[in-house]
Amino acid sequence: MTENKKQIAILGSTGSIGTQALEVISENDSLFEIYALTANNNIDLLIEQARKYMPEMVAIGNESLYLPLKNALADLPIKVFAGADSIAQLAEMQPIDIVLTAMVGYSGLKPTISAIKAGKKIALANKETLVVAGELICELASQNNAQIIPVDSEHSAIFQCLAGEGNNAIEKIILTASGGPFRTKTIHELEYVTSVQALKHPNWEMGAKITIDSASLMNKGFEIIEAKWLFGVTPDQIEVVVHPQSIIHSMVQFTDGSIKAQLGMPDMKLPIQYAFTYPERLKTNFPRFDFNVCSQFTFEKPDLDRFRNLEYAYYAMEKGGNMPCILNASNEVVVAKFLKDEIGFLQMSDIIENVMAKADFIAKPTYDDYVRTDALVRILTNEIVS
Ligand code: MN
């Protein structure tokens, strides 16, 4: 471990964000060093990454993979752990400066809470953390002086638009959405789309779960909730605009009517790097946007009849309490089932709506209430499906 380099822990290093973060770190190895890497199941890639980056420690979520991981790294001075509790403890380690939370879904909540309690700077890629428990996370972050820097491209764009604005009030946040692979499909066509089609996102290369969420617009629904917590705005201050080119990553309108936008090629390495270096920027050789190549930006209103998830997310955000947690848990179950072709694309929204109506609402949930809600809603969703 080198003293003057920023020590980084990547939670979810084998996923799309995790692997791109490792590229960013490799390109800037005089500034950053990997302190810890974690994965859920992908032991082969985790071993490869550990050998290459030589972190102090690694952890695997799936405890049955502990011994194979430990044996594979036995010749190296790398500490090896397994299980969700170990990942949460690892995120608190004293030398770590920045924790990149890049795991999938609800599993991000617990380690993010422990990293915040340890006062770490959080590069937040796991939006579900804020969807499920935004109020709790924001309270803990302010109590522990833990800065949360968004990695999600839209929220990074807004964060960049707000740099230098001091206390200037936000009138409105305009979140852009690509519209996903099914933007132009009719409701009838949507009944028959497959997971293979849904996995082909037009602009972004991402993991399977978020790609399905993008196709169903649940991702955008989660992002409005994420924006509410990150930027302290009310639901009526968040507008979603479909912008199929994905060059404008999002915008902020101030109270004088001025709108600031952040633009660039769709490449997650930029927001990842900005989260690591904020408030500074580092020179990169990432591809540049060329106005001569893309001469038109277009904008559309999102269609809530075809993409009901966005409406459910607005509802969950307004309702508050554990409703966004209910939304998230039921979504995780239906997305997994859609990926296995057990249910259809439109059925995902039918089931989520049904679950939101039936699950027990808690207005002021504690951490334990979120844990219980998540578990119960998964059971309820499975019951409704079968
Ligand atoms: Mn996004």
Side-chain angles (χ1 to χ4, degrees):
M1 201 176 87
T2 323
E3 283 296 322
N4 54 358
K5 293 186 187 181
K6 274 189 188 158
Q7 300 297 315
I8 298 184
I10 303 181
L11 311 184
S13 66
T14 58
S16 170
I17 295 288
T19 51
Q20 292 180 80
L22 286 170
E23 286 177 40
V24 167
I25 291 165
S26 295
E27 285 156 20
N28 300 284
D29 58 1
S30 61
L31 299 174
F32 305 115
E33 202 164 62
I34 299 292
Y35 187 85
L37 297 173
T38 82
N40 189 33
N41 264 312
N42 193 343
I43 181 172
D44 294 337
L45 185 53
L46 185 62
I47 291 166
E48 190 186 315
Q49 292 175 341
R51 293 200 159 270
K52 181 165 176 197
Y53 294 95
M54 292 296 290
E56 298 287 312
M57 47 190 70
V58 297
I60 186 109
N62 180 345
E63 291 183 41
S64 70
L65 298 174
Y66 171 72
L67 275 180
L69 179 63
K70 184 150 178 65
N71 292 337
L73 299 175
D75 58 322
L76 299 173
I78 300 174
K79 297 183 193 82
V80 177
F81 302 95
D85 289 338
S86 302
I87 292 176
Q89 283 164 16
L90 170 150
E92 303 172 338
M93 298 304 292
Q94 195 275 328
I96 297 170
D97 299 301
I98 301 173
V99 175
L100 172 65
T101 67
M103 61 287 273
V104 179
Y106 175 84
S107 67
L109 182 61
K110 191 175 181 168
T112 306
I113 287 177
S114 52
I116 290 173
K117 283 186 174 166
K120 302 302 180 196
K121 183 180 279 188
I122 309 293
L124 186 108
N126 175 258
K127 68 192 83 186
E128 289 88 345
T129 302
L130 284 179
V131 171
V132 169
E135 191 161 12
L136 176 73
I137 293 289
C138 291
E139 263 175 34
L140 287 174
S142 84
Q143 281 166 15
N144 295 283
N145 265 323
Q147 200 174 13
I148 299 178
I149 303 181
V151 171
D152 207 348
S153 62
E154 295 79 359
H155 304 76
S156 175
I158 293 161
F159 194 71
Q160 293 179 57
C161 290
L162 291 173
E165 290 291 342
N167 291 322
N168 287 335
I170 298 170
E171 188 166 86
K172 191 165 80 174
I173 277 172
I174 303 152
L175 278 181
T176 51
S178 70
F182 302 149
R183 181 175 61 90
T184 58
K185 292 240 185 288
T186 64
I187 189 116
H188 179 72
E189 288 169 327
L190 285 179
E191 255 184 75
Y192 302 102
V193 293
T194 63
S195 59
V196 174
Q197 290 172 287
L199 287 171
K200 289 190 186 124
H201 194 279
N203 304 338
W204 294 96
E205 282 276 324
M206 302 176 292
K209 199 259 178 184
I210 187 173
T211 305
I212 302 301
D213 286 344
S214 295
S216 71
L217 258 63
M218 185 57 93
N219 182 55
K220 209 50 56 180
F222 286 164
E223 288 180 354
I224 61 174
I225 300 173
E226 185 185 9
K228 170 195 153 111
W229 295 115
L230 283 171
F231 306 112
V233 289
T234 54
D236 59 302
Q237 286 177 294
I238 308 171
E239 186 182 333
V240 173
V241 172
V242 176
H243 165 52
Q245 295 80 23
S246 294
I247 299 297
I248 300 176
H249 297 309
S250 276
M251 300 174 256
V252 178
Q253 180 173 312
F254 294 92
T255 46
D256 61 356
S258 177
I259 298 175
K260 279 168 85 172
Q262 187 263 341
L263 285 70
M265 296 299 284
D267 182 349
M268 287 309 295
K269 278 162 61 175
L270 182 61
I272 292 166
Q273 174 172 301
Y274 189 73
F276 288 166
T277 62
Y278 167 81
E280 283 161 45
R281 291 183 186 274
L282 285 184
K283 187 172 166 55
T284 74
N285 55 8
F286 304 158
R288 266 43 174 175
F289 176 68
D290 183 346
F291 281 88
N292 299 308
V293 172
C294 171
S295 60
Q296 251 184 358
F297 285 175
T298 58
F299 304 96
E300 300 162 19
K301 231 178 136 86
D303 180 355
L304 300 184
D305 292 331
R306 286 181 302 142
F307 300 100
R308 286 172 287 155
N309 288 347
L310 194 54
E311 201 181 316
Y312 302 155
Y314 269 108
Y315 170 79
M317 175 168 56
E318 304 246 12
K319 184 91 180 167
N322 66 340
M323 194 54 85
C325 178
I326 295 168
L327 176 77
N328 177 70
S330 59
N331 184 62
E332 287 193 24
V333 174
V334 295
V335 168
K337 291 194 178 290
F338 177 68
L339 280 169
K340 286 187 265 174
D341 298 315
E342 291 173 12
I343 58 172
F345 184 77
L346 293 177
Q347 253 184 304
M348 290 197 287
S349 300
D350 297 339
I351 296 161
I352 290 167
E353 183 182 18
N354 202 337
V355 172
M356 286 172 84
K358 284 188 179 142
D360 288 329
F361 178 68
I362 304 169
K364 291 246 168 273
T366 61
Y367 173 73
D368 291 336
D369 290 328
Y370 288 125
V371 175
R372 253 192 306 275
T373 298
D374 181 77
L376 290 172
V377 167
R378 284 167 197 269
I379 295 167
L380 178 61
T381 310
N382 276 302
E383 280 171 7
I384 288 173
V385 175
S386 52

